[in-house]
Amino acid sequence: TAGITQAPTSQILAAGRSMTLRCTQDMRHNAMYWYRQDLGLGLRLIHYSNTAGTTGKGEVPDGYSVSRANTDDFPLTLASAVPSQTSVYFCASSDSSETEAFFGQGTRLTVV
Amino acid sequence: GQNIDQPTEMTATEGAIVQINCTYQTSGFNGLFWYQQHAGEAPTFLSYNVLDGLEEKGRFSSFLSRSKGYSYLLLKELQMKDSASYLCAVRDSNYQLIWGAGTKLIIKP
């Protein structure tokens, strides 16, 4: 069972470059989320989507954009990476905003 | 602001019982979640409380008191594989999850 898949697993990115983190789920979940996880801090919500065609800003959206063209895919784009965006990024999905979330395996991004 | 507090780290002995506390101050409350996260891996769902009281699931139990803004996760018969971080998260009035920084649990033989 695939569940929710992220790519790449890890990446080193030069500052100023753009990059898209991919996220795909096969559970037909309506809601999808992007979080970043930094040492000593809780997971912080970057962007979310409650259903295909809609997106919303989370707690730390600046420097990131998302799209939700269909139910399965929820890519996260960094337009011009900065070192402070070095983090582990988790994509998650849930059947609705009222149920538990399932997480992808994470993308470890280092911006140098 | 919104805040979730948990101890940073706890140590316990294999076979023993440990209680991990979580206190929260959020704008609204629509449920509290506990997740387990092994080092380098994704968080996985453990439990969900929306009403006061104890929810038991095998060796793990979770308790909620909404009036006190307090929850705990109780782990019994600890095993080495329980060494992980335990994350407390509260769903606020906008149905967004607010996460604590997690409690790293170290199990010693």
Side-chain angles (χ1 to χ4, degrees):
Chain A
T1 58
I4 184 163
T5 303
Q6 293 182 231
T9 303
S10 64
Q11 182 74 45
I12 298 174
L13 185 67
R17 299 296 294 268
S18 66
M19 179 176 181
T20 296
L21 280 61
R22 299 184 298 279
C23 176
T24 300
Q25 53 105 358
D26 63 1
M27 298 175 283
R28 308 303 294 171
H29 283 170
N30 286 315
M32 296 188 75
Y33 315 88
W34 273 106
Y35 290 96
R36 60 178 290 173
Q37 187 175 41
D38 301 290
L39 196 63
L41 299 177
L43 287 160
R44 291 183 292 170
L45 183 65
I46 304 170
H47 285 286
Y48 66 93
S49 169
N50 286 330
T51 189
T54 69
T55 62
K57 293 181 179 181
E59 180 186 357
V60 289
D62 293 344
Y64 307 95
S65 63
V66 291
S67 61
R68 187 86 185 277
N70 56 61
T71 298
D72 298 344
D73 300 301
F74 191 44
L76 176 74
T77 297
L78 288 68
S80 180
V82 295
S84 62
Q85 291 178 309
T86 293
S87 187
V88 179
Y89 291 85
F90 285 103
C91 180
S93 71
S94 62
D95 188 40
S96 74
S97 61
E98 299 180 0
T99 56
E100 74 269 22
F102 295 84
F103 285 79
Q105 77 274 28
T107 295
R108 184 174 296 275
L109 179 66
T110 302
V111 182
V112 297
Chain B
Q2 308 201 91
N3 197 49
I4 310 284
D5 285 318
Q6 326 177 213
T8 302
E9 186 176 296
M10 299 181 71
T11 302
T13 304
E14 189 178 16
I17 299 173
V18 70
Q19 177 175 311
I20 302 174
N21 295 326
C22 170
T23 58
Y24 62 89
Q25 291 177 303
T26 56
S27 56
F29 178 86
N30 283 298
L32 184 144
F33 294 81
W34 284 96
Y35 280 76
Q36 180 189 60
Q37 185 177 24
H38 286 100
E41 298 183 7
T44 55
F45 170 74
L46 285 178
S47 69
Y48 172 66
N49 295 70
V50 66
L51 300 176
D52 291 351
L54 189 68
E55 293 282 342
E56 297 186 80
K57 192 184 292 186
R59 294 188 299 114
F60 293 5
S61 303
S62 57
F63 172 83
L64 174 66
S65 168
R66 289 171 295 170
S67 63
K68 295 182 179 179
Y70 168 70
S71 172
Y72 68 73
L73 180 70
L74 192 71
L75 291 73
K76 303 176 184 177
E77 302 169 14
L78 287 169
Q79 302 174 9
M80 297 304 292
K81 68 179 182 179
D82 297 330
S83 291
S85 288
Y86 291 86
L87 314 180
C88 174
V90 172
R91 180 177 286 134
D92 68 9
S93 57
N94 294 318
Y95 282 86
Q96 296 301 335
L97 284 175
I98 310 301
W99 294 82
T103 298
K104 183 178 181 180
L105 178 63
I106 299 168
I107 309 296
K108 295 186 175 180

